[in-house]
């Protein structure tokens, strides 16, 4: 019997003009044919320091950056081995000092298909090999070229593969993905140009560096509780810029290593509560943020 836990993919930002997706959009648990789940989650993350390239920096004119997000996340089993996943976050982010204008609004609509291609039985354990393909685009025209923003405004194609091992209540999932990001049109003409960059700017249209994304997650999934610990490493694949005067924020090369934990407790039948914590271990052109999250999950 498949475990009916709904993965919690919280879409929030880490500031410094670049968004990130916590834990990845998908995990290794299939939903099941004609079964659906809906999650409504809230998260808040803060940072006082950020990385210029990989050097930690504190800006007194920025203060503490706080990002709050409400995310709707749904999964539907199109078949026994095929799921449809949809996510849409509403985000508010602001700085406690300086003249940075608060940003608020819907970020990106994301849809993904998850396919369990192979399922092997290894004694009392099961090993699944899965693939996922997702696409995201901005829901509204928000500001992307700023230190405080809710996203980078690009259209993204996300492809990844996963190995998911489950033995009794224990599970271990490893996944690796590549995120292809499209161009962004800014509200200004960009004069910055570096011939060594693979993403040269042209007029007001700039390229956003692609990234690779690796997530390792392990824990226990039973009828009475779910708990996991995870670590995520996102690395710039294509060359980009560093945070600096006059440089467009969407062209910055973003990377980070984050770690966290998630807890889910079923309350009554198909209704449960979830909570999570994560922190940034290292980064590149991104905020050194800590996040707390919580929400409700409903099985349909």
């Amino acid at each position: 019997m498949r475990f009916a836990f709904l993965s919690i993919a919280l879409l929030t930002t880490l500031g410094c003009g670049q968004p990130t997706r916590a834990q990845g959009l998908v995990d290794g648990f299939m939903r099941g044919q004609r079964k659906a789940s809906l999650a409504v989650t809230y998260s808040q993350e803060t940072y006082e320091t950020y990385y210029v390239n990989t050097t930690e920096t504190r800006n007194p004119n920025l203060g503490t950056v706080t990002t709050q997000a409400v995310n709707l996340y749904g999964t539907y089993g199109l078949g026994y081995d095929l799921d449809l996943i949809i996510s849409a976050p509403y985000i508010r982010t602001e700085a406690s000092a300086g003249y940075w204008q608060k940003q608020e609004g819907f970020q990106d609509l994301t849809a993904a298909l998850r396919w369990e291609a192979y399922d092997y039985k290894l004694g009392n354990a099961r090993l699944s090999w899965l693939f996922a393909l997702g696409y995201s685009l901005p829901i509204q025209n928000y500001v992307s070229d700023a230190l405080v923003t809710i996203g980078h405004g690009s259209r993204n194609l996300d492809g990844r593969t996963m190995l998911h091992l489950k033995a009794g209540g224990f599970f271990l999932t490893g996944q690796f993905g590549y995120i292809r990001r499209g161009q962004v049109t800014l509200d200004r003409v960009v004069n910055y140009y570096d011939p060594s960059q693979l993403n040269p700017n042209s007029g007001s249209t700039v390229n956003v560096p692609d990234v690779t994304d690796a997530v390792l997650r392990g824990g226990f999934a039973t009828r009475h509780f779910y708990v996991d610990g995870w670590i995520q490493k996102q690395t710039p694949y294509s060359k980009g810029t560093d945070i600096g005067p006059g440089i467009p924020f969407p062209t910055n090369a973003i990377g980070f290593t984050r770690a966290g934990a998630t807890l889910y407790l079923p309350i009554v039948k198909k209704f449960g509560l979830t909570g999570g914590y994560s922190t940034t271990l290292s980064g590149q052109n991104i905020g050194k943020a800590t996040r707390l999250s919580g929400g409700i999950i409903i099985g349909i």
Side-chain angles (χ1 to χ4, degrees), residues 133-144:
L133 182 64
Y135 184 77
S136 64
L137 74 166
I139 298 176
Q140 63 182 59
N141 184 27
Y142 54 78
V143 175
S144 61

Side-chain angles (χ1 to χ4, degrees), residues 131-199:
F131 297 87
L133 182 64
Y135 184 77
S136 64
L137 74 166
I139 298 176
Q140 63 182 59
N141 184 27
Y142 54 78
V143 175
S144 61
D145 188 21
L147 189 60
V148 178
T149 181
I150 66 173
H152 53 52
S154 65
R155 300 188 177 208
N156 309 313
L157 186 63
D158 184 338
R160 59 187 62 218
T161 185
M162 289 163 281
L163 284 176
H164 178 69
L165 175 68
K166 192 168 189 303
F170 173 77
F171 74 92
L172 183 65
T173 308
Q175 64 174 278
F176 180 79
Y178 179 84
I179 303 174
R180 172 66 174 168
R181 289 172 171 161
Q183 294 183 326
V184 173
T185 300
L186 308 179
D187 295 327
R188 61 179 173 124
V189 175
V190 177
N191 297 319
Y192 174 83
Y193 177 75
D194 184 346
S196 67
Q197 298 290 346
L198 297 179
N199 297 308

